[in-house]
């Protein structure tokens, strides 16, 4: 079959993107594993790969189940669109990719800032290893609501097949930046999400938390104050804190859900506080008793200011 770029933005486009990219990723991961083994980098473990693959399969299965409903919602908005576009002009496609990446940025920010959605997204951050296969450690339940962030684009007149084709292509790129093998991409660091930027995003270091939310473009983070460069004096530590008791797939999948349930079921806290436990920032507690990422970062910045200068 002759390759046609526009076929990626038709009904069968998502399948084609995953079909074409799968052998490429398999080869790339194998190459990185060899690099890790012979370079004694310790980038991979068998259990970590197993969890990554398990979450990817679960996510793909749920995505497949949700496909008809998700596209049904997006096409509902597309049928009631407020603009009609000529899809044969370049700026239509530029807008599709640009707005799709921005929609994902918003999705990603909410996934970090609201505990209910962080309970979904945390699985992607749960590995203490960082390699290309980490890109497949998916937020398993995200297909249940992801399309809601892309539906406004359909309402603006962008075809849902085009929106999701752009998303799938950006996913391919977003998976590639999960590597420690590339230190810098030079001038591209100003525009694209690079391996360095995304290492920061996966870090559990206080200064790095909730930073660099973009998938393909880093411009949104620079515009909205969520950008943080990787600093040589602050080596990245991967994973989540506190560390789960087990690194099994089941434990990691429901790790934050179980913690949230323990908070919600406390007696005598009222329904408002129960809802706040669900949807406010992770770490929130009534009467200011808890600490969110902002609280930890504020304390960190004060310590840096008050730290004695080296002679």
């Amino acid at each position: 079959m002759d390759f046609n770029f526009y076929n990626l933005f038709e009904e069968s486009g998502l399948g084609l993107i995953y079909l074409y990219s799968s052998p490429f990723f398999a080869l790339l991961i194998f190459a990185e594993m060899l690099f890790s083994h012979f370079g004694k980098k310790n980038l991979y473990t068998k259990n970590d790969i197993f969890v990554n693959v398990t979450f990817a399969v679960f996510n793909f299965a749920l995505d497949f189940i949700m496909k008809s409903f998700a596209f049904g919602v997006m096409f509902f908005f597309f049928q009631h669109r407020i603009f009609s576009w000529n899809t044969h002009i370049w700026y239509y496609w530029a807008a599709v990719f640009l707005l799709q990446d921005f929609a994902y940025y918003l999705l990603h920010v909410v996934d970090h800032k609201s505990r209910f959605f962080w309970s979904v997204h945390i699985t992607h951050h749960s590995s203490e290893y960082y390699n290309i296969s980490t890109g497949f450690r998916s937020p398993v339940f995200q297909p249940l609501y992801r399309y809601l962030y892309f539906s406004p684009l359909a309402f603006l007149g962008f075809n849902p097949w085009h929106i999701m084709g752009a998303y799938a292509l950006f996913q391919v790129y977003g998976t590639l930046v999960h590597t420690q093998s590339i230190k810098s991409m030079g001038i591209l660091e100003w525009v694209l999400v690079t391996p360095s930027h995304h290492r920061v995003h996966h870090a559990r270091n206080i200064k790095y938390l909730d930073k660099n939310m973009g998938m393909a473009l880093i411009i949104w983070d620079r515009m909205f104050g969520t950008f943080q460069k990787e600093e040589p004096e602050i080596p990245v530590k991967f994973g989540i804190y506190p560390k789960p008791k087990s690194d099994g797939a089941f434990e990691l999948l429901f790790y934050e859900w179980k913690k949230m349930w323990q908070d919600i079921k406390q007696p005598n806290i009222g329904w408002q506080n129960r809802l706040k436990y669900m949807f406010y920032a992770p770490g929130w507690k009534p009467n200011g008793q808890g600490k969110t990422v902002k609280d930890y970062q504020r304390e960190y910045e004060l310590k840096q200011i008050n730290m004695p200068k080296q002679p």
Side-chain angles (χ1 to χ4, degrees), residues 47 50-62 115-127 136-145 240 243-261:
N47 181 73
F50 174 78
V51 174
N52 294 344
V53 172
T54 299
F55 286 169
V57 171
F58 285 173
N59 177 268
F60 182 81
L62 184 57
R115 192 180 185 186
F116 182 88
F117 298 101
W118 174 241
S119 298
V120 175
H121 187 69
I122 195 173
T123 55
H124 185 60
H125 289 260
S126 59
S127 176
F136 293 93
R137 184 176 284 231
S138 306
V140 171
F141 300 117
Q142 197 182 76
L144 293 172
Y145 61 87
I240 54 178
K243 183 178 179 179
K245 295 179 181 178
S246 167
D247 58 0
F250 186 83
E251 171 68 22
L252 295 175
L253 183 60
F254 295 103
Y255 170 75
E256 188 65 22
W257 293 107
K258 291 191 291 186
K259 289 175 58 182
M260 185 170 63
W261 174 245

Side-chain angles (χ1 to χ4, degrees), residues 25 28-29 32 43-44 52 104 108 121 123-125 127 129-139 170-182 185 193-203 212 214-215 238:
F25 278 122
L28 203 59
I29 290 171
E32 192 178 48
L43 299 178
Y44 285 84
N52 294 344
Y104 176 82
H108 204 172
H121 187 69
T123 55
H124 185 60
H125 289 260
S127 176
Y129 295 86
Y130 190 77
N131 52 64
I132 294 174
S133 78
T134 308
F136 293 93
R137 184 176 284 231
S138 306
F170 276 156
Q171 264 196 318
V172 172
Y173 176 79
T175 301
L176 291 173
V177 300
H178 291 81
T179 182
Q180 299 183 59
S181 304
I182 299 174
M185 292 177 64
V193 172
T194 66
S196 177
H197 297 331
H198 207 62
R199 286 193 291 270
V200 167
H201 179 70
H202 273 259
N212 302 350
M215 179 183 286
F238 298 110

Side-chain angles (χ1 to χ4, degrees), residues 50-164:
F50 174 78
V51 174
N52 294 344
V53 172
T54 299
F55 286 169
V57 171
F58 285 173
N59 177 268
F60 182 81
L62 184 57
D63 212 7
F64 181 79
I65 293 170
M66 288 294 299
K67 183 177 180 179
S68 295
F69 180 80
F71 273 99
V73 171
M74 286 191 286
F75 270 107
F76 171 83
F77 284 100
F78 184 64
Q79 288 170 358
H80 296 83
R81 59 191 178 274
I82 56 177
F83 300 112
S84 292
W85 298 83
N86 181 353
T87 61
H88 296 290
I89 49 180
W90 69 268
Y91 57 78
Y92 168 82
W93 292 98
V96 168
F97 279 89
L98 194 66
L99 293 176
Q100 198 289 318
D101 197 60
F102 179 61
Y104 176 82
Y105 171 82
L106 296 177
L107 162 65
H108 204 172
V109 169
V110 173
D111 276 356
H112 276 255
K113 301 293 186 180
S114 174
R115 192 180 185 186
F116 182 88
F117 298 101
W118 174 241
S119 298
V120 175
H121 187 69
I122 195 173
T123 55
H124 185 60
H125 289 260
S126 59
S127 176
E128 293 186 348
Y129 295 86
Y130 190 77
N131 52 64
I132 294 174
S133 78
T134 308
F136 293 93
R137 184 176 284 231
S138 306
V140 171
F141 300 117
Q142 197 182 76
L144 293 172
Y145 61 87
R146 182 175 58 212
Y147 57 91
L148 296 175
Y149 287 84
F150 303 151
S151 293
L153 276 63
F155 188 56
L156 292 174
F158 298 99
N159 188 304
W161 297 121
H162 301 165
I163 296 168
M164 295 310 295

